[in-house]
Amino acid sequence: MSAVDNLAAIKQKISRAERKAEREAGGVELVAVSKTFEAEAIRPVLEAGQRVFGENRVQEAQGKWPALRAEFPDLELHLIGPLQSNKAADAVALFDVIETVDREKIAAALASECAKQNRQLQFYVQVNIGEEEQKAGISPVETLAFVERCRDVHKLDVVGLMCIPPVDEAPGPHFALLRKLAREAGVEKLSMGMSADFEIAIGFGATSVRVGSAIFGTR
């Protein structure tokens, strides 16, 4: 199957999961994760109507998205991978949404760059929901205070929380915890669920799901 066929199949699965969870039709946003794929592989998916995409690396995204945005100016680009502070300027210039704010230094750098570039981005705080040593993200117990600092001190427009559950554990309890944290933090959006578990995430309230390999194929 082509990426366009896969895209249609994923959208159908999202619709079914919305109905099963008794949620509003069309309420879950699909972020098509295009990391490692070249512009020529992405263009058919854009031509099929998909407009929201996720990338992991700033430098890789710089190599393909400016030209694609010139062709499709209404696309929305999300940074879903770890961000180093020395890449903050490039990230603010290129992305519309940054989902991986997870420490004070990054929050300050992003705030400074938004002011310098006069750019208004939306931000998610990434939560290390399984408290795994090898993963980025703020710990669950520190999440509420960190969201508050991002908003009050750095004046970032924090709209939601993002997580990646441990691969060897059932994702449901982790999605439930992120939903609880979001409610307590007063944010509405939940970026959770990937190719293997996005239907489960929708059942737990995901407002966006990040699907890559199920659309574009294995990397």
Side-chain angles (χ1 to χ4, degrees):
M1 291 176 68
S2 70
V4 171
D5 293 331
N6 291 338
L7 175 70
I10 293 298
K11 288 183 175 180
Q12 287 182 345
K13 289 182 178 181
I14 290 172
S15 294
R16 284 198 296 268
E18 288 173 336
R19 289 195 298 271
K20 183 178 179 181
E22 299 182 346
R23 296 183 55 184
E24 180 183 358
V28 177
E29 180 177 70
L30 171 60
V31 180
V33 179
S34 48
K35 65 180 184 180
T36 76
F37 288 93
E38 299 297 329
E40 291 310 308
I42 298 167
R43 187 174 284 105
V45 177
L46 278 159
E47 291 171 346
Q50 178 65 23
R51 287 295 181 271
V52 185
F53 291 82
E55 288 282 343
N56 269 42
R57 298 178 183 276
V58 175
Q59 190 168 354
E60 179 192 337
Q62 284 176 311
K64 56 190 174 183
W65 282 103
L68 288 170
R69 196 187 288 273
E71 293 182 57
F72 303 92
D74 59 337
L75 68 82
E76 181 177 285
L77 195 57
H78 291 225
L79 178 63
I80 60 171
L83 177 63
Q84 302 300 318
S85 56
N86 64 354
K87 294 289 186 182
D90 291 337
V92 168
L94 181 61
F95 290 92
D96 304 293
V97 181
I98 293 178
E99 298 199 13
T100 50
V101 183
D102 65 350
R103 57 197 187 280
E104 200 81 30
K105 185 177 181 181
I106 284 295
L110 290 169
S112 175
E113 286 302 328
C114 284
K116 286 179 186 176
Q117 299 182 36
N118 194 27
R119 290 266 290 154
Q120 300 294 323
L121 277 65
Q122 292 188 334
F123 298 93
Y124 289 67
V125 165
Q126 181 174 355
V127 182
N128 186 351
I129 203 72
E131 300 188 76
E132 300 171 273
E133 289 185 9
Q134 77 277 17
K135 278 188 183 170
I138 197 84
S139 73
V141 296
E142 296 174 342
T143 296
L144 303 186
F146 183 64
V147 169
E148 187 174 343
R149 288 198 305 276
C150 286
R151 287 173 156 173
D152 295 346
V153 177
H154 302 295
K155 309 301 180 185
L156 298 180
D157 182 16
V158 179
V159 299
L161 304 180
M162 180 267 240
C163 77
I164 305 170
V167 295
D168 56 349
E169 296 181 18
H174 297 289
F175 293 151
L177 176 56
L178 196 74
R179 179 178 59 188
K180 177 177 180 288
L181 290 171
R183 287 173 177 168
E184 292 173 351
V187 298
E188 294 184 357
K189 295 187 177 184
L190 288 169
S191 174
M192 58 189 196
M194 299 188 290
S195 289
D197 57 16
F198 69 88
E199 292 160 291
I200 298 171
I202 290 170
F204 282 93
T207 58
S208 64
V209 294
R210 309 180 305 274
V211 179
S213 59
I215 295 173
F216 293 101
T218 56
R219 295 177 173 86

